[in-house]
Amino acid sequence: MASTLITVAPTGAETAKADCPALPTTLDELVETAKRCEAAGAAMIHIHIRDGEHQPTLDLGRLTDTVAAVRENTALIVQLSTGGAVTDPYEHRLRVLDAVPDSCSLTMGTVNFGDDVFMNPWPFVTELYQLTQEREVVPEFELFDLGHVAALHRLLDKYGLPYGGRVHCDLVMGVPGGMPGTADALVAAVNALPDAVTSWSATGIGRTALPVALAALSKGGNLRVGMEDTLTLAKGQPVTHNAELVERAAVLATLAQRPPMSPDEARDLLNVKRDR
């Protein structure tokens, strides 16, 4: 039976801990979240970290400790964000790979991000991509609009396949400034993907979470969920733990007759390195 990769993105860089006390921002909270989300059906975790004041950081020591702790306590594929916060300098984003994750995010272009601009100029994208090939880290290509899909064609044509030979993308939908979180937008993006793409997932921001998840499952895609992207289960019903979002995704995937895949199955799907 076909199955579904569920990725959990538990923290992000935008939401303040003071505004959302349930957001996991300490190492202990992240590990507890990872364990519960794995039990609920997640196979990969997309990690942003925070400092002692709960502010976004790309501190290499904290990143390394987080990767080690999640690996020690779960079988999840550990994916680190190379986006960080919109204010993080490029050199700090590149050194994320020094923490030796299984996977990393790789955003395929600049995008308006609410009131901010998430900068990903072409020279940075290509430098990061070649670094993933050198370090044997599997990238997940983050696509916020159709221009990013076109950029992925350009990248693969010029620099070849990623480490492991598989091409996995995530459609990030519903960000103010990016493509809308609609079934029509998802179908357009998926139909434009390069032939080399072997798997893809979709993320719906905020109230687009459910429409995007349902459209992704209908189109044969995988799911990313988590408090980085969605803080409510329904109007007036806040998320109290990331596991709730993973559980809902697992129910939807099972209804679609594509139940959640295990971390080991996800490692085969993405062909991540197994001896880290």
Side-chain angles (χ1 to χ4, degrees), residues 162-266:
Y163 169 75
R166 311 288 169 78
V167 181
H168 179 70
C169 306
D170 182 49
L171 307 176
V172 186
M173 309 182 71
V175 171
M179 62 182 155
T182 64
D184 286 346
L186 182 141
V187 170
V190 172
N191 287 344
L193 290 173
D195 291 339
V197 170
T198 51
S199 60
W200 59 272
S201 61
T203 304
I205 303 300
R207 68 184 64 182
T208 72
L210 273 175
V212 166
L214 292 168
L217 288 169
S218 296
K219 189 67 172 166
N222 302 285
L223 304 178
R224 183 182 113 170
V225 298
M227 294 177 73
E228 172 173 349
D229 308 313
T230 308
L231 294 173
T232 58
L233 287 166
K235 187 175 181 180
Q237 186 180 353
V239 176
T240 62
H241 196 285
N242 279 279
E244 296 173 332
L245 294 167
V246 176
E247 288 163 359
R248 183 171 70 177
V251 168
L252 294 176
T254 301
L255 283 171
Q257 300 186 39
R258 292 177 46 222
M261 67 178 62
S262 68
D264 196 54
E265 290 171 323

Side-chain angles (χ1 to χ4, degrees), residues 114-198:
D115 295 336
D116 299 305
V117 179
F118 181 25
M119 297 294 293
N120 295 281
W122 184 248
F124 170 74
V125 170
T126 58
E127 183 177 2
L128 176 56
Y129 184 51
Q130 291 174 91
L131 194 59
T132 66
Q133 292 171 316
E134 175 188 320
R135 301 288 183 86
E136 300 185 338
V137 173
V138 172
E140 177 180 271
F141 299 102
E142 306 291 341
L143 310 174
F144 287 77
D145 63 30
L146 287 178
H148 292 180
V149 178
L152 179 59
H153 281 264
R154 179 186 178 194
L155 185 79
L156 296 175
D157 287 346
K158 184 170 179 61
Y159 295 99
L161 294 175
Y163 169 75
R166 311 288 169 78
V167 181
H168 179 70
C169 306
D170 182 49
L171 307 176
V172 186
M173 309 182 71
V175 171
M179 62 182 155
T182 64
D184 286 346
L186 182 141
V187 170
V190 172
N191 287 344
L193 290 173
D195 291 339
V197 170
T198 51

